[in-house]
Amino acid sequence: VKVTAAKVDISSNAITDDALDATLVDDTTKITATNYTVNLGTDFTGASTVIPGDDYTFTAKDKNYNYTFTGTTMGGTEVSVIDNGDGTYTIQNVTGNIVIASTKTAKTFTVTKTGTGAADITGAATATYFVDYEFTITKDDKYDYELTATVGGNDYSPVLVDDTYSILGEDVTGNIVITVNKTLKPVTTTQITFEGTGSADVAGGTLQTAQNGQDFKFEVTKDSNYDYVVTFGGNELTEDAEGKYTIPAASITGTALTVTVAKTAKKTINVEASAYVQLDGKTMYLVTATGTVAAGKTLAYDGTAMYQSSKYSAYTWLVISNKSADEVKTEAEGKIAEATATSTSIAYDNDVNKTGRVDINDAQLTWDIYNAKYDSFVNVSMEKFLSADVNGDKVVNVTDATAIIAAIQ
């Protein structure tokens, strides 16, 4: 302490005079003040002593931990420590030596996922200091992806190893924001799907890819026992000289396309239908079927064995209908099939009524059939109707009755 000025006088002069300046013989002296010591430990920095009665503030070396000060003492008695929220801590009104005792836990920070590709990010909702934070992005090949990240508001570039992104543990020092934006890649190809009963025969499979703006050619590996019809956009496609079909470049724009390949068994049976007898409001049609039939098999109409006709060299059947001949033919094509059964051959022997003898009644029955006296197979069987065409011209008329009479004579 240094004395810079002083006044001195005797008491009797106090009534009327000012004090006189003193003569300074020794103007400095030392005063020793005793401070309290501070034991900070290894996690903090600060002064090693503190003046009695002062507040003592110290700082954490690593602010990314939460500290608990259980066991911290002042003068041997546990004391409270104030967290200032900025990595510094204070003990108020120091009255003894201080010993800092603490435990620490790494801070945990929130992780926010954002951007148009946020749903494709997989990772925990929080990250812990000094523990590597890892996340992945499930990418769709149709999109391009852009990744950015911040830690504590500062830009950060995650480390990528084997499709896994990492934010290193020592860098996890604040809240994390991961932003993934995805945009559709430019479409350069068109997906073509083949469907239909013959789609399995398309070379290259039922799902193929074509380059936009270019003709797309494909081939069908055909089974010789089947007919194929290939359609696209409502139009039938035709094979070229190389046996390939073409979808024009103008249609290959990136929009998915569908091609239909229909496969149907080739006809081995030829079916015909013609008017046999004209009835009242209806027609009795003669249906004939010719073709190769497997050994041991016969042709059946809707499950019933058809008759064999030597006159027509065909299997035959009668259908009563008010439809056209073409409609009856189409219907018959769907009903005639091979079956394991025995067919009856029509005997064109003029014995139309099947009594075993040819006489005028056979001619009469034929005449009655021609004149539509019978319009079902209840009283006159189909076999008798078929037998009435004795001249084999596929109709029953007066010439058949005449032929029977001539046979009697």
Side-chain angles (χ1 to χ4, degrees):
V1 177
K2 182 177 181 179
V3 179
T4 57
K7 300 290 185 178
V8 65
D9 210 342
I10 59 177
S11 62
S12 60
N13 292 334
I15 298 173
T16 57
D17 299 324
D18 294 326
L20 301 173
D21 289 333
T23 299
L24 301 177
V25 178
D26 186 1
D27 62 358
T28 61
T29 187
K30 289 183 179 181
I31 299 174
T32 300
T34 302
N35 294 339
Y36 295 115
T37 61
V38 179
N39 184 347
L40 284 167
T42 59
D43 290 326
F44 305 97
T45 61
S48 60
T49 61
V50 57
I51 297 172
D54 280 359
D55 293 342
Y56 179 72
T57 297
F58 56 100
T59 304
K61 293 179 181 178
D62 192 336
K63 298 178 182 180
N64 295 300
Y65 288 96
N66 293 314
Y67 295 90
T68 302
F69 294 95
T70 302
T72 295
T73 60
M74 181 172 66
T77 302
E78 188 164 349
V79 67
S80 298
V81 178
I82 298 172
D83 185 349
N84 299 318
D86 59 358
T88 66
Y89 303 86
T90 298
I91 298 174
Q92 294 180 319
N93 190 24
V94 177
T95 59
N97 294 330
I98 296 173
V99 177
I100 305 296
S102 66
T103 58
K104 63 183 179 181
T105 56
K107 287 185 177 180
T108 298
F109 302 95
T110 60
V111 178
T112 301
K113 306 175 186 73
T114 187
T116 55
D120 299 328
I121 304 170
T122 301
T126 59
T128 302
Y129 175 61
F130 234 83
V131 177
D132 290 353
Y133 178 80
E134 296 182 343
F135 64 96
T136 58
I137 302 173
T138 304
K139 295 181 179 180
D140 187 329
D141 291 340
K142 297 184 182 69
Y143 292 85
D144 289 318
Y145 287 78
E146 181 184 13
L147 166 66
T148 58
T150 60
V151 178
N154 298 314
D155 292 339
Y156 188 89
S157 296
V159 178
L160 176 61
V161 177
D162 296 333
D163 297 327
T164 298
Y165 295 89
S166 297
I167 296 175
L168 302 181
E170 61 263 31
D171 297 329
V172 181
T173 57
N175 292 333
I176 297 172
V177 177
I178 301 170
T179 303
V180 173
N181 286 311
K182 65 180 183 179
T183 54
L184 276 171
K185 292 180 179 179
V187 178
T188 59
T189 60
T190 298
Q191 180 175 293
I192 299 177
T193 301
F194 294 90
E195 64 179 19
T197 53
S199 58
D201 296 334
V202 176
T206 58
L207 189 62
Q208 299 188 34
T209 301
Q211 288 297 124
N212 288 354
Q214 298 180 20
D215 286 350
F216 177 75
K217 292 180 178 291
F218 63 95
E219 191 173 358
V220 179
T221 305
K222 296 181 178 179
D223 185 328
S224 60
N225 294 315
Y226 291 84
D227 290 317
Y228 291 80
V229 177
V230 180
T231 55
F232 165 69
N235 298 314
E236 184 175 344
L237 298 181
T238 304
E239 289 177 287
D240 60 18
E242 297 178 347
K244 294 182 178 180
Y245 298 88
T246 300
I247 298 176
S251 298
I252 312 296
T253 61
T255 302
L257 303 176
T258 299
V259 176
T260 301
V261 181
K263 173 183 178 181
T264 55
K266 289 184 176 179
K267 288 184 179 180
T268 56
I269 302 299
N270 182 50
V271 177
E272 299 293 340
S274 59
Y276 189 65
V277 175
Q278 292 296 332
L279 305 176
D280 185 13
K282 293 183 179 182
T283 301
M284 180 179 292
Y285 288 98
L286 175 69
V287 176
T288 59
T290 57
T292 304
V293 180
K297 299 285 187 177
T298 190
L299 291 184
Y301 189 100
D302 207 13
T304 302
M306 298 176 71
Y307 294 91
Q308 287 186 328
S309 169
S310 59
K311 295 281 188 182
Y312 314 140
S313 298
Y315 290 86
T316 188
W317 196 256
L318 295 175
V319 175
I320 298 172
S321 175
N322 58 5
K323 298 179 182 178
S324 69
D326 286 340
E327 290 174 312
V328 171
K329 174 184 175 180
T330 299
E331 185 175 270
E333 287 174 337
K335 292 188 176 183
I336 295 175
E338 287 189 355
T340 302
T342 301
S343 291
T344 300
S345 294
I346 300 300
Y348 295 103
D349 56 2
N350 298 315
D351 185 12
V352 177
N353 61 10
K354 303 303 176 187
T355 62
R357 186 175 66 180
V358 177
D359 59 19
I360 194 62
N361 282 349
D362 296 300
Q364 182 65 51
L365 177 56
T366 301
W367 178 263
D368 291 341
I369 290 173
Y370 162 61
N371 284 281
K373 183 175 181 180
Y374 306 104
D375 59 358
S376 72
F377 305 119
V378 176
N379 295 319
V380 178
S381 68
M382 185 181 297
E383 182 181 1
K384 292 179 180 179
F385 271 92
L386 290 169
S387 298
D389 182 20
V390 296
N391 62 6
D393 62 357
K394 296 186 177 181
V395 293
V396 176
N397 54 30
V398 67
T399 61
D400 297 300
T402 302
I404 295 172
I405 294 172
I408 297 171
Q409 297 174 347

